[in-house]
Amino acid sequence: MDKIKMTTPLVEMDGDEMTRILWQMIKDELILPFVDLKTEYYDLGLEYRNATDDQVTIDSANATLKYGVAVKCATITPNAARMTEYDLKEMWKSPNGTIRAILDGTVFRAPILVKGIVPYVKNWTKPITIARHAYGDVYKNTEIKVPGAGKAELVYTAEDGTEIRELIHDFKGAGIIQGIHNTDKSIESFARACFSYAIDTKQDLWFATKDTISKKYDHNFKDIFQEIYDAEYKTKFEELGIEYFYTLIDDAVARVIRSEGGFIWACKNYDGDVMSDMVATAYGDLSMMTSVLVSPSGVYEYEAAHGTVQRHYYKHLKGEETSTNSIATIFAWTGALKKRGELDNIPELSAFAETLERACIKTVEDGKMTKSLSLISTCENPVILNSLDFIKAIRTTLEELL
Ligand code: NAP
Ligand code: MG
């Protein structure tokens, strides 16, 4: 079989620990034998980030803006323990945060469904994709612990010195205050990323806030979404037969539980934090969640939702066998290859990526899986494979399907 040719390179962002080990295995077993892979390689492993004063992360994000599609391995976000472990010059920021800030993107997370891993919510037969607004609100807050009686006010001073002043509360005793904000620019980017992704994946888009209670703050989110929808996306949605649906957050939660899935749920920052953990858990397993960062200008960065699986890596370093699930990382590659195929008009590349996805699903449905999957699968006698043998089993299925 001739290898599939590519025209534009993928931006390849390598990472850390166990996922870095899987990364190489995936390339060697599942990609390189079939695709004449073109990538522009960036090593986001913590050692090289430290050596380059994190410049490599910035360069990789800029390359993504240039080429349009990236595939990223999980990376360590340094904490105090990592400072000593890797002898770091600085506690470098989260690469995902840095990349997201440069691409101005929104993260969409969706579960990979396989027969035998049954969602806790029995009517969820299709994936629910969560889009979380990743800027502001309570994540950029200012708080005061009020010591005792006194007046709290909200004050905005314009550049020309004029003020808007609102009473928050006339405290009779101790209490608490929180100041939060968002910007129209950020909400607009979020809205555009959501509408574009809905069109891209041909799914309905749901959005919810608490605008009945928060008549200015949350209402602003609702209005911006509606204005952008009407002006820029309505026609395209109608052509595709998909829907933009706005409701109150509590109503959305009830409807999501009753639904069969198959839509994108756009959430404000806090709602997205809470609901993405709930949805991921209800579908089964973090190791079966995909993640894609989409910028309003249509740039895509694909990755797995899970981290570097540190505990497995330490076992691997001790020479012990690991059974780490590579499916979400494989889906990061297939997502990126599919998108590259679509943008460069190479249908065989997209078709290959789709076949590889089916090979992953079929392998698990045929009863071959990693340990964590066997624990949540209804499969009667699963064959539990180690990290490499699982990838090799997927390769065997892939070769059968090709
Ligand atoms: P984690 O890597 O997601 O792993 C947490 C636990 O979940 C693992 O110990 C393992 O459970 C299970 N797990 C996750 N992925 C799995 C897989 N593919 N196969 C099998 N089991 C899997 O989270 P963490 O250990 O909290 O974080 C490790 C590092 O990852 C941290 O340095 C963090 O900064 C980084 N991180 C990066 C990203 C990213 O780059 N997107 C996201 C999150 C975290 P058992 O040990 O019970 O088997
Ligand atoms: Mg969270």
Side-chain angles (χ1 to χ4, degrees):
M1 196 191 96
D2 279 348
K3 288 194 196 179
I4 299 161
K5 297 263 180 300
M6 293 177 64
T7 48
T8 316
L10 272 182
V11 177
E12 176 184 352
M13 305 170 174
D14 207 344
D16 287 299
E17 301 195 309
M18 198 60 211
T19 41
R20 188 181 180 98
I21 308 286
L22 297 178
W23 195 256
Q24 198 57 48
M25 291 178 183
I26 293 167
K27 281 173 69 179
D28 290 345
E29 291 289 330
L30 302 174
I31 315 276
L32 293 172
F34 308 97
V35 178
D36 201 356
L37 185 67
K38 264 192 170 188
T39 72
E40 195 165 291
Y41 181 85
Y42 292 87
D43 185 358
L44 301 199
L46 186 50
E47 276 175 37
Y48 196 64
R49 272 184 277 147
N50 190 51
T52 60
D53 294 343
D54 210 23
Q55 185 61 36
V56 64
T57 308
I58 295 162
D59 292 346
S60 73
N62 286 328
T64 308
L65 284 177
K66 177 175 167 195
Y67 292 114
V69 186
V71 55
K72 181 180 168 290
C73 182
T75 46
I76 292 169
T77 298
N79 56 15
R82 302 297 197 170
M83 293 292 290
T84 3
E85 185 184 356
Y86 285 84
D87 191 18
L88 299 180
K89 297 185 223 168
E90 249 182 66
M91 202 185 284
W92 307 109
K93 284 198 219 135
S94 147
N96 287 38
T98 303
I99 295 166
R100 198 163 59 210
I102 294 172
L103 302 187
D104 183 22
T106 297
V107 174
F108 295 82
R109 284 186 166 194
I112 301 158
L113 301 194
V114 296
K115 288 196 200 84
I117 297 173
V118 187
Y120 289 100
V121 183
K122 64 179 187 309
N123 42 290
W124 284 1
T125 53
K126 296 177 191 165
I128 294 171
T129 303
I130 296 243
R132 172 181 172 189
H133 184 209
Y135 177 81
D137 302 349
V138 75
Y139 301 85
K140 282 253 186 246
N141 67 355
T142 311
E143 303 185 333
I144 299 174
K145 196 159 161 35
V146 175
K151 196 166 72 169
E153 287 179 304
L154 203 54
V155 184
Y156 159 79
T157 314
E159 279 175 336
D160 68 5
T162 48
E163 276 185 2
I164 304 175
R165 199 174 271 268
E166 294 281 346
L167 177 72
I168 297 172
H169 190 65
D170 217 341
F171 283 94
K172 303 289 176 249
I176 38 181
I177 317 171
Q178 181 175 64
I180 60 171
H181 79 279
N182 224 298
T183 66
D184 285 3
K185 183 168 174 283
S186 176
I187 301 166
E188 286 160 10
S189 287
F190 175 51
R192 287 198 176 91
C194 291
F195 289 125
S196 308
Y197 196 66
I199 289 170
D200 210 38
T201 59
K202 298 182 187 58
Q203 297 185 85
D204 290 345
L205 176 70
W206 295 19
F207 181 47
T209 72
K210 196 71 184 175
D211 65 282
T212 46
I213 298 297
S214 172
K215 289 187 167 53
K216 292 203 173 101
Y217 197 103
D218 275 22
H219 216 286
N220 191 51
F221 277 84
K222 178 186 178 181
D223 289 346
I224 287 177
F225 264 69
Q226 194 63 49
E227 280 156 24
I228 290 182
Y229 175 70
D230 290 340
E232 299 169 34
Y233 296 97
K234 193 169 191 278
T235 321
K236 189 73 190 165
F237 267 58
E238 283 167 359
E239 267 170 44
L240 290 172
I242 56 175
E243 192 191 4
Y244 168 56
F245 174 64
Y246 176 86
T247 187
L248 286 168
I249 185 69
D250 40 354
D251 181 48
V253 169
R255 285 172 188 263
V256 163
I257 294 295
R258 287 196 305 266
S259 79
E260 56 169 22
F263 54 89
I264 299 163
W265 185 10
C267 292
K268 285 180 63 200
N269 210 349
Y270 175 83
D271 298 341
D273 186 356
V274 176
M275 292 307 165
S276 61
D277 279 5
M278 186 200 66
V279 169
T281 307
Y283 273 106
D285 193 344
L286 190 62
S287 70
M288 293 294 274
M289 287 295 278
T290 62
S291 178
V292 54
L293 176 70
V294 181
S295 82
S297 62
V299 164
Y300 296 78
E301 183 238 289
Y302 294 85
E303 66 173 328
H306 61 76
T308 61
V309 212
Q310 180 181 19
R311 208 180 63 81
H312 295 210
Y313 180 60
Y314 289 159
K315 276 178 74 178
H316 170 85
L317 287 181
K318 281 194 262 166
E320 290 171 31
E321 192 164 77
T322 58
S323 180
T324 315
N325 182 3
S326 45
I327 287 188
T329 307
I330 298 171
F331 270 64
W333 276 97
T334 56
L337 290 171
K338 263 197 282 186
K339 183 50 82 182
R340 204 59 279 168
E342 193 187 305
L343 295 176
D344 297 345
N345 198 18
I346 312 173
E348 39 315 354
L349 188 61
S350 304
F352 166 77
E354 266 161 33
T355 311
L356 177 50
E357 290 183 355
R358 272 191 289 130
C360 291
I361 291 168
K362 187 168 187 303
T363 304
V364 176
E365 291 181 349
D366 287 348
K368 285 169 235 155
M369 58 191 84
T370 51
K371 181 141 186 291
S372 61
L373 286 179
S374 75
L375 299 176
I376 53 168
S377 169
T378 56
C379 174
E380 295 248 321
N381 293 303
V383 181
I384 298 173
L385 299 173
N386 67 37
S387 305
L388 181 59
D389 285 347
F390 180 58
I391 290 174
K392 286 190 166 162
I394 294 170
R395 176 161 179 182
T396 306
T397 317
L398 174 65
E399 282 172 342
E400 283 161 19
L401 293 178
L402 279 172

